[in-house]
């Protein structure tokens, strides 16, 4: 059996998206900026895709800009927001639960002289309006808060947070990285939210395409200059097939959301309950209820996550970890540290993200496999007391 | 990213555990990512008669400890001291660049265990 449990990393392309894309990758290859019929058809497809996708998010089509993915959208939002804010507003505030695309962008702006505040999260990964307000300064240009966390799946009270920021200072721009949330949960892009990033491959669309929602009236200079595509805001030859795929996938998710979300939540619960009862000294990270439907994340005492992931892979389970050994930098995940885990605890992290294509039987197989693999990893761990069946320094 | 040989070793590690009547013990830590390796040996007449490891670390760390124990088992202390992490990496048919530091741990654990053995021996005489 092979069970793919890493849908938060990327998801398989769904049939409606693939079917919708195929013609635009084959016979209908025209450049959407041309004047002949083939080009005009491509342009029409692009605009239809924009309308469909915008509708799914409940926003106007002319506020929806295609990009190359979540990372570009996040870079665009932050870099251009501080550029537009000018000399009087240079400060940036982000949450401690951000994806690297926001965190590293903010850190690079910090190096260029923009003061940066990282707002702490609570042990469940939630950001409290009070904590966020405390971070604001008279010169704050932009606040960026992730809609739902990629590592621990916690869903933030985004509308409430955006409201709090705007009530304090309506000139601060509010951006949310909704890459994990879009399609999977009903995202509320309220008028207090100025910008939102999404990425197609996280919800069954193709890789290499995403979007940035920019509320009308928000002045955001382009990140990419060139031929003036996307109404002068984002230049590069339009990725028509990608846009069509994004829209088809988002529509598929939106139409079936109630059904998918019910099914995925049940699978996730089966997984969480199964793992917590089968594996001693395991615990869930993130919020028990306020989490993405398909997101289950754990820490296991006295086990190293990279080894866990490698051995699970050999047994047919694809998952991921935020342990130090599994990152290129050899630092444990900043999100796991932000929720108060020690380096040792973060070492034993495992993330499983399931989709509506998974089955109950697969969840039971995953639970059994995790149980076996964790047990055998602990047998070789110098931090595990095999006789007593407990970790040495009780976590 | 791992070679078949690395995977084979972290899935079926050799000499895993603790030598029952060990007279040499070395525990080393990796400052880079915070991993821990513990080697125990029974050394008789300058020969490593038995060796076992326990490792808290990534797949590469487990594979290097496993193969390193195979490489020093039955060898003299002097031979074991000559084992380098390069030899270990070579025996595993290579490691990804960001995992080379894990192989240093195995070399260090063996050296630490032998140093401990020599200390014990010196204290006895
Ligand atoms: S032991 Fe941490 S990266 Fe290998």
């Amino acid at each position: 059996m092979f069970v793919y449990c890493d849908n938060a990393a990327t998801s398989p392309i769904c049939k409606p998206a693939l079917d919708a894309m195929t013609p635009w990758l084959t016979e209908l290859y025209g450049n959407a900026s041309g004047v002949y019929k083939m080009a005009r058809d491509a342009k029409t497809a692009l605009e239809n895709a924009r309308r469909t996708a915008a509708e799914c998010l409940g926003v106007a089509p002319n506020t929806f800009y295609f990009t190359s993915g979540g990372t570009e959208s996040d870079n665009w939002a932050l870099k251009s927001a501080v550029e537009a804010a000018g000399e009087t507003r240079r400060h940036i505030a982000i949450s401690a639960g951000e994806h690297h695309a926001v965190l590293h962008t903010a850190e690079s702006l910090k190096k260029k002289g923009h003061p940066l505040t990282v707002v702490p999260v609570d042990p469940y990964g939630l950001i409290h309006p009070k904590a966020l307000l405390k971070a604001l300064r008279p010169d704050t240009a932009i606040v960026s808060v992730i809609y739902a966390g990629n590592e621990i799946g916690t869903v933030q009270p985004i509308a409430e947070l955006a409201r709090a920021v705007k009530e304090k200072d309506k000139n601060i721009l509010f951006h949310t990285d909704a890459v994990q949330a879009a399609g999977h949960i009903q995202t509320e892009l309220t008028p207090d939210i100025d910008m939102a990033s999404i990425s197609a491959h996280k919800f069954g669309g193709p890789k290499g395409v995403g979007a940035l929602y920019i509320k009308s009236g928000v002045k955001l200079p382009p990140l990419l200059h060139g031929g003036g595509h996307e109404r002068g805001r984002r230049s590069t030859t339009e990725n028509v097939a990608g846009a069509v795929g994004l829209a088809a996938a988002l529509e598929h998710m939106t139409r079936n959301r109630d059904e998918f979300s019910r099914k995925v939540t049940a699978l996730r619960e089966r997984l969480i309950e199964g793992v917590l009862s089968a594996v001693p000294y395991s615990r869930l990270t993130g919020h028990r209820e306020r989490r993405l439907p398909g997101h289950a994340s754990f820490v296991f005492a006295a086990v190293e996550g990279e080894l866990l992931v490698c051995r699970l892979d050999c047994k047919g389970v694809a998952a991921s970890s935020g342990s130090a050994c599994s990152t290129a930098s050899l630092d444990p995940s900043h999100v796991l540290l932000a929720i108060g885990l020690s380096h040792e605890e973060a070492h034993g992290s495992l993330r499983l993200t399931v989709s509506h294509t998974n089955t109950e039987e697969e969840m039971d197989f995953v639970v059994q496999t995790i149980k076996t693999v964790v047990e055998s990893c602990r047998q070789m761990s110098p931090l595990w007391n095999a006789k007593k069946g407990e970790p040495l320094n009780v976590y | 990213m791992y070679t078949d040989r690395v995977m084979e070793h972290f899935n079926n590690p050799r000499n895993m555990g603790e030598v029952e009547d060990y007279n040499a013990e070395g525990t080393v830590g990796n400052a880079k990512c915070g991993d821990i390796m513990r080697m125990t040996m029974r050394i008789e007449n300058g020969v490593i008669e038995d060796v076992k490891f326990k490792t808290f670390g990534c797949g590469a760390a487990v594979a290097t400890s496993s193969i390193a124990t195979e490489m020093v088992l039955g060898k003299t202390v002097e031979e074991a001291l000559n084992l380098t992490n390069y030899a270990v990496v070579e025996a595993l048919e290579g490691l990804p660049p960001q995992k080379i530091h894990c192989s240093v741990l195995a070399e260090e654990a063996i050296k630490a265990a032998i140093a401990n053995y020599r200390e014990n021996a010196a204290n006895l005489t």
Side-chain angles (χ1 to χ4, degrees):
Chain A
M1 194 183 265
F2 170 74
V3 188
Y4 183 71
C5 287
D6 204 16
N7 286 277
T10 195
S11 58
I13 196 157
C14 65
K15 183 91 173 39
L18 183 63
D19 290 347
M21 288 170 75
T22 310
W24 306 103
L25 289 166
T26 48
E27 66 269 28
L28 303 174
Y29 48 79
N31 185 321
S33 299
V35 286
Y36 37 83
K37 175 163 190 319
M38 195 196 223
R40 292 195 309 272
D41 288 349
K43 178 79 177 162
T44 307
L46 180 74
E47 294 314 319
N48 287 342
R50 194 189 311 280
R51 195 168 334 107
T52 304
E55 218 168 84
C56 291
L57 295 181
V59 300
N62 65 357
T63 59
F64 190 94
Y65 296 85
F66 288 107
T67 66
S68 64
T71 297
E72 186 196 323
S73 300
D74 288 343
N75 270 265
W76 185 10
L78 268 70
K79 290 178 180 168
S80 294
V82 298
E83 185 191 327
E87 280 313 304
T88 50
R89 285 185 180 262
R90 296 181 57 81
H91 175 245
I92 303 166
I94 64 170
S95 89
E98 294 307 302
H99 185 272
H100 283 134
V102 165
L103 176 64
H104 289 167
T105 303
E107 281 173 347
S108 109
L109 289 166
K110 185 181 173 188
K111 283 206 191 98
K112 293 186 178 128
H114 291 276
L116 171 67
T117 306
V118 178
V119 183
V121 294
D122 77 5
Y124 304 102
L126 279 174
I127 297 137
H128 293 273
K130 265 196 197 136
L132 185 55
L133 290 178
K134 229 172 101 187
L136 302 184
R137 314 193 329 190
D139 65 334
T140 301
I142 180 167
V143 170
S144 189
V145 177
I146 195 161
Y147 206 120
N150 50 309
E151 295 201 45
I152 54 171
T154 302
V155 178
Q156 302 297 339
I158 281 294
E160 191 189 338
L161 294 169
R163 158 117 304 191
V165 169
K166 291 291 177 171
E167 270 172 3
K168 173 113 184 208
D169 180 347
K170 63 178 183 359
N171 291 320
I172 296 175
L173 288 179
F174 190 95
H175 167 255
T176 181
D177 174 334
V179 166
Q180 293 291 339
H184 298 278
I185 56 172
Q186 167 95 52
T187 45
E188 295 175 83
L189 298 181
T190 61
D192 296 319
I193 298 169
D194 297 296
M195 292 174 282
S197 303
I198 68 166
S199 177
H201 75 104
K202 305 291 192 187
F203 51 75
K207 293 168 184 65
V209 60
L212 183 65
Y213 156 72
I214 310 172
K215 193 176 76 182
S216 67
V218 171
K219 288 192 180 52
L220 197 74
L223 182 68
L224 302 184
H225 300 265
H229 308 81
E230 297 287 291
R231 281 170 291 132
R233 277 185 135 167
R234 198 262 182 186
S235 289
T236 202
T237 297
E238 294 91 344
N239 176 3
V240 178
V244 166
L246 180 150
L250 191 54
E251 190 180 29
H252 181 59
M253 288 298 276
T254 308
R255 274 210 188 130
N256 300 293
R257 185 155 47 230
D258 290 348
E259 182 199 329
F260 287 174
S261 139
R262 214 174 310 121
K263 179 171 181 205
V264 173
T265 305
L267 291 174
R268 174 198 80 194
E269 285 304 301
R270 196 177 180 98
L271 191 56
I272 292 178
E273 295 298 331
V275 167
L276 294 181
S277 62
V279 185
Y281 298 96
S282 60
R283 60 181 244 231
L284 186 76
T285 52
H287 200 281
R288 190 67 185 82
E289 287 95 33
R290 287 194 60 98
R291 63 188 306 132
L292 286 167
H295 196 293
S297 52
F298 306 93
V299 283
F300 301 104
V303 176
E304 194 287 309
E306 196 256 19
L307 176 66
L308 193 55
V309 166
C310 287
R311 294 183 97 182
L312 285 173
D313 175 37
C314 293
K315 292 198 182 306
V317 177
S320 68
S321 170
S323 86
C325 301
S326 54
T327 65
S329 63
L330 298 176
D331 292 319
S333 136
H334 61 279
V335 178
L336 297 178
L337 298 182
I339 58 170
L341 297 189
S342 65
H343 279 237
E344 291 76 34
E345 288 169 311
H347 247 307
S349 65
L350 183 72
R351 180 187 75 175
L352 302 150
T353 41
V354 301
S355 87
H356 59 272
T357 57
N358 287 114
T359 64
E360 287 187 353
E361 193 196 356
E362 286 177 342
M363 295 303 102
D364 297 345
F365 168 77
V366 171
V367 170
Q368 274 317 307
T369 310
I370 291 175
K371 179 178 154 69
T372 317
V373 171
V374 167
E375 262 165 24
S376 73
C377 288
R378 279 174 174 168
Q379 290 311 312
M380 65 171 102
S381 170
L383 302 178
W384 183 254
N385 184 332
K387 280 195 198 89
K388 289 194 181 150
E390 63 181 35
L392 282 190
N393 45 341
V394 176
Y395 282 70
Chain B
M1 68 176 196
Y2 287 134
T3 64
D4 288 348
R5 209 155 163 70
V6 172
M7 294 203 274
E8 208 266 308
H9 270 274
F10 70 60
N11 275 318
N12 310 292
R14 329 286 198 267
N15 306 313
M16 194 271 294
E18 180 186 285
V19 176
E20 235 173 58
D21 44 354
Y22 66 85
N23 58 2
E25 189 264 348
T27 300
V28 291
N30 182 333
K32 274 213 165 94
C33 51
D35 296 297
I36 299 164
M37 194 178 291
R38 178 166 186 262
M39 291 261 178
T40 49
M41 299 175 177
R42 200 180 67 250
I43 302 176
E44 266 158 37
N45 304 321
V47 174
I48 300 171
E49 297 287 347
D50 201 359
V51 53
K52 285 199 155 81
F53 80 91
K54 280 203 169 189
T55 292
F56 174 77
C58 71
V62 171
T64 49
S65 14
S66 166
I67 206 161
T69 58
E70 280 193 326
M71 292 168 87
V72 299
L73 184 63
K75 297 283 162 60
T76 65
V77 164
E78 284 69 29
E79 285 170 325
L81 285 173
N82 282 330
L83 181 78
T84 62
N85 75 306
Y86 297 106
V88 172
V89 172
E90 215 176 86
L92 287 171
E93 288 152 14
L95 278 178
Q98 78 273 22
K99 294 291 181 183
I100 296 295
H101 75 273
C102 320
S103 67
V104 179
L105 215 54
E107 182 191 324
E108 283 175 354
I110 288 169
K111 296 210 160 112
I114 292 174
N116 169 255
Y117 165 75
R118 287 182 166 165
E119 234 173 74
N120 291 344
N123 286 344
L124 283 179
T125 52

